[in-house]
């Protein structure tokens, strides 16, 4: 019963937490750049504004696909926070991502097309680590069920240091931070306009933003799992990891997709793959 | 209450007749088709023949087997001699064609095999008669349905396709009577492979499938087709040579009663491991694992129905069937893990190669090899859960792949190209076919569709397999699975990338083609929604019979979630489309210099059409380099396997 409550809490609270996280992110980012920055609730105001805009588009398909993107991001979170099978949650996350990519393709915009290709590159750069993470948790706790992992009393990070570093690395991709914001950029008028999102506007873009809020919470939940035995340490880890991501975002410029993919794969293969293989031999 | 076993006993006569019927019946249409020149009559014979095969196989699946494996001895004493004579005739034919084409390596292997099987027959003259000839259980019934239903659908599809094929290729001699006859011969041989208990029988049907694939690949009769047909023949003969060695091994170790698959597996790894590994090598060649894989890619020169047949319901499925059959023998064995690694490496390498391909049929070919690799990996691991995943992979791969091949073939005839780049915006010009393609592709890699459930189960199974091999397989699977997302998703994207609305060109598609595409699409959807009953009523009883009591394979709650996800994908768009639909349609954004949709003005006033192409990453995933290294690794693994077999003091 407890897990169902967590799932409902996720459904309602995740956008709130997501807005707060991105709001604080924007203020700190601004401070790092010597600006004052917007109010904390600015991300919420931005999204609310999007839903008041006129509904325009190139044709019907993108909006429907984006809706599926959002729906499956929520499903991912419900499985994850509802204590379901971690692998199942991962596959739902992939499905959600694929809908975003398909939506970008279906807008028939050249910018979105290039963005979609890069989004897929990012997807294959991070996908292996996420699967390895689930398997790592299985090795430590003996179960793929998120509920069993959440009830684990130790600190999985002690046995999974390689996996943890890999996850921190790929979070930069997933949070769409530079140097790995290949398919969408925080800053408009760059080479790709806004990559996959070029042709989304109004409520469609709003749904993309909401999906991203859910995604942030899911990813931070994943970071928390590494410290599950000690909640204080877990929250602290989330704050530190997120701060590191912001730091990276503001001190690096975007890399090309090839080194990004190569780098992600090599690091995660050695650290992540090495970690679970070594652990299985222990 | 009536005991299920009692019912089974009551049906025994029906069973043996049905099995023999399925093996023998396709020969009747095959014979009729050889002499039939009239196209309409051919249509009737093919449709009726395919329909009867399909119904027969469904009847077999519907009969209650319970948790039994049934064995039958065919009451025909001369049959072993007939088979030997036929084997000699086939060998004679192959020697003839290979000498004529100066393919002396093939001649050598044909003669070697003849020598080996001759020796086996001579050794086993008094022995193998005791072994039941045929067997059936849920697994072979599933295989029979794949052969009968999907194979049958492909035969019907071929009617329309081959007519168009000869309209497009006026220069080729019309050998359709022979073509359709071989298709049915192929089905017969496949039924033989999956129903054989006696390994000598199985070997006979095995060789017939090799012969059929050779003849079908050769069909276009141009230089490339002949070369590729010979390559397919050579590789399958190399692998096939291991089969009679396995039989000889069993006979020489005095266990002629172990010539039956049932008793061989029951005898346990101590006796069965060597022959099982040898047959697995033959299976790897037949299911195109590295380094043998190039024959299946080369087979693409044949007409599309042949590719569909080879990839989904015949040939390659015989290979993985044989390996999966022996899965219990590999459970917990290092040699089993070596076989699993061969499959795993094949999965990873060929998935990577598929990224760099824009030819749709080549993408399908490489992804087939990759999926077979995953099946081999599961079968090599050999635990109940792994075998569960392997059988599901076989089912979903057969359905989705045949659907994809046939829709690509249909598109190819309309668009005039099999290049994925030329499928841009197919959602507009061929909405129904592209929807079918999307369903097929989704079935191949997306959650919660078919194949993904098998991947989910594979990861679960590998995580419990012999360390550190299980984890190595998981790392391979993690990277390989990411790569498959890439090439499938970009293909789906191409289909959806509608540039401008065009007239539908679907009205030209023949009835025979629709008659194949629609049921296959329906089957894909039914199989996705039917995971639970397929698992409960078909696969689990087989696993219980093979392994004894097993723990829960897929928790009901997970199954519920998957079904809900499936329902969401179907229902959500329908519910939401009215609300989400844009009120006003705009042109796409092109940076301010759009002349009209799709036309852009350049810096010196030149107007250019926009053209977009997908990423193929040839530098990162070069076909030649990857095949070379993949082959190298798998050759080393095969050597390890052979050394393991020999150093066990047993060969």
């Amino acid at each position: 019963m407890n897990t169902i409550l967590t799932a409902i809490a996720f459904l309602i609270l995740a956008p709130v937490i997501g807005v707060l996280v991105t709001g604080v992110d924007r203020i700190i980012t601004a401070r790092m750049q010597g600006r004052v920055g917007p109010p904390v609730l600015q991300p919420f105001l931005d999204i609310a504004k999007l839903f008041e805009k006129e509904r325009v588009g190139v044709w019907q398909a993108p909006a429907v696909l984006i809706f599926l993107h959002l729906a499956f991001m929520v499903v991912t979170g419900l499985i994850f926070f509802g204590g379901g099978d971690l692998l199942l949650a991962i596959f739902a996350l992939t499905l959600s991502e694929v809908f975003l990519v398909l939506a970008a393709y279906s807008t028939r915009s050249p910018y979105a097309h290039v963005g979609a290709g890069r989004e897929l590159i990012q997807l294959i750069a991070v996908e292996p680590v996420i699967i390895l993470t689930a398997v790592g948790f299985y090795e430590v706790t003996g179960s793929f069920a998120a509920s069993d992992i959440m009830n684990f009393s130790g600190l999985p990070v002690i046995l999974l240091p390689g996996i943890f570093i890999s996850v921190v690395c790929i979070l930069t991709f997933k949070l769409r931070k530079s140097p790995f914001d290949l398919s969408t950029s925080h800053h408009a008028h760059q080479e790709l306009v806004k990559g996959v999102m070029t042709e989304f506007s109004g409520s469609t873009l709003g749904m993309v933003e909401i999906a991203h809020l859910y995604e942030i919470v899911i990813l931070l939940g994943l970071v928390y799992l590494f410290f599950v035995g000690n909640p204080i340490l877990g929250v602290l880890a989330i704050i530190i990891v997120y701060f590191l991501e912001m730091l990276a975002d503001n001190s690096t410029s975007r890399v090309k997709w090839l080194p990004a993919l190569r780098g992600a794969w090599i690091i995660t293969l050695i650290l992540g793959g090495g970690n679970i293989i070594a652990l299985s031999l222990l | 209450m009536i005991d299920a076993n009692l019912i089974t006993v009551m049906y025994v006569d029906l069973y043996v007749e049905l099995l023999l019927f399925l093996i023998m019946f396709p020969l009747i249409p095959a014979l009729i088709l050889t002499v039939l020149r009239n196209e309409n009559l051919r249509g009737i014979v093919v449709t009726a023949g395919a329909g009867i095969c399909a119904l027969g196989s469904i009847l077999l699946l519907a009969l209650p087997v319970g948790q039994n494996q049934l064995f039958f001895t065919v009451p025909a004493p001369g049959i072993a001699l007939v088979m030997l004579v036929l084997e000699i005739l086939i060998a004679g034919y192959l020697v003839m064609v290979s000498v004529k084409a100066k393919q002396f390596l093939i001649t050598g292997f044909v003669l070697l095999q003849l020598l080996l099987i001759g020796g086996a027959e001579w050794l086993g003259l008094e022995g193998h008669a005791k072994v039941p000839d045929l067997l059936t259980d849920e697994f072979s019934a599933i295989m029979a349905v794949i052969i009968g239903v999907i194979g049958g659908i492909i035969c019907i599809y071929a009617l329309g396709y081959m007519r168009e094929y000869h309209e497009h290729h006026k220069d080729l001699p019309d050998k359709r009577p022979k073509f359709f006859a071989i298709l049915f011969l192929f089905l017969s041989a496949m039924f033989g492979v999956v129903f054989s208990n006696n390994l000598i029988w199985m070997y006979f049907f095995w060789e017939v499938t090799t012969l059929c694939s050779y003849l079908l690949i050769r069909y276009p009769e141009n230089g490339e087709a002949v070369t590729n047909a010979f390559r397919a023949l050579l590789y399958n003969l190399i692998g096939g040579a291991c089969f009679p060695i396995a039989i000889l091994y069993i006979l020489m170790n005095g266990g002629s009663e172990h010539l039956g698959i049932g008793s061989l597996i029951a005898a346990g790894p101590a006796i069965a491991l060597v022959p099982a590994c040898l047959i697995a090598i033959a299976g790897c060649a037949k299911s195109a694992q590295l380094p043998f894989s190039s024959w299946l890619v080369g087979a693409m020169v044949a007409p599309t129905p042949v590719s569909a047949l080879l990839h989904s319901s015949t040939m390659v499925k015989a290979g993985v069937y044989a390996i999966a059959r022996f899965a219990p023998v590999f459970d917990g064995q290092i040699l089993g893990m070596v076989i699993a690694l061969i499959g795993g490496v094949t999965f990873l390498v060929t998935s990577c190669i598929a990224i760099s391909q824009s030819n749709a049929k080549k993408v399908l070919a490489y992804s087939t090899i990759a999926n077979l690799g995953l099946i081999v990996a599961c079968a090599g691991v050999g635990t109940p859960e792994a075998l569960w995943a392997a059988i599901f992979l076989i089912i979903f791969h057969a359905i989705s792949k045949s659907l994809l091949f046939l829709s690509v073939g249909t598109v190819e005839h309309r668009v005039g190209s099999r290049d994925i780049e030329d499928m841009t915006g197919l959602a507009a010009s061929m909405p129904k076919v592209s929807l079918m393609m999307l369903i097929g592709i989704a079935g191949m890699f997306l959650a919660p569709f078919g194949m993904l459930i098998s991947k989910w189960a594979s990861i679960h199974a590998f995580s419990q397999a012999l360390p550190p091999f299980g984890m190595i397989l998981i790392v391979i699977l993690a990277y390989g699975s990411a790569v498959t997302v890439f090439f499938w998703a970009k293909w789906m994207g191409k289909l959806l990338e509608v540039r401008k609305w065009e007239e539908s060109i679907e009205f030209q598609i023949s009835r025979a083609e629709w008659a194949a595409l629609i049921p296959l699409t329906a089957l894909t959807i039914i199989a996705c929604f039917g995971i639970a009953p397929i698992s409960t009523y078909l696969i689990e009883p087989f696993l219980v019979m093979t392994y004894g009591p097993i723990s829960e394979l897929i928790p009901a709650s997970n199954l519920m979630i998957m079904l809900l996800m499936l329902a969401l994908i179907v229902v959500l768009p329908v519910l939401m489309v009215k609300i989400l639909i844009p009120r006003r349609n705009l042109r796409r954004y092109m940076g301010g210099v759009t002349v009209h949709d799709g036309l852009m003005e350049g810096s010196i006033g030149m107007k250019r059409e926009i053209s977009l192409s997908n990423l193929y990453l040839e530098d990162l995933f070069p076909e030649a380099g990857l095949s070379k290294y993949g082959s190298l690794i798998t050759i080393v693994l095969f050597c390890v396997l052979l050394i393991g077999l020999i150093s066990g003091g047993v060969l």
Side-chain angles (χ1 to χ4, degrees), chain A residues 116 120 126 206 246:
Chain A
L120 277 176
V126 305
M246 276 191 282

Side-chain angles (χ1 to χ4, degrees), chain B residues 26 46 53 59 61 177 240 276 291 343 351 369 376 396 424 449 457 496 531 551 555 593 601:
Chain B
V46 168
C53 285
L59 179 64
L61 195 72
S351 295
I369 301 168
V376 172
F396 282 117
T424 310
F449 297 104
L496 289 173
I531 302 162
S551 56
V593 280
E601 194 171 315

Side-chain angles (χ1 to χ4, degrees), chain A residues 225-249:
Chain A
L225 276 195
F226 282 93
F227 300 88
V228 70
N230 189 335
I232 299 166
L233 216 54
V235 175
L236 211 61
I238 288 177
I239 293 170
I240 293 170
V241 166
Y242 200 89
F243 183 76
L244 286 176
E245 300 295 348
M246 276 191 282
L247 210 58
D249 191 19

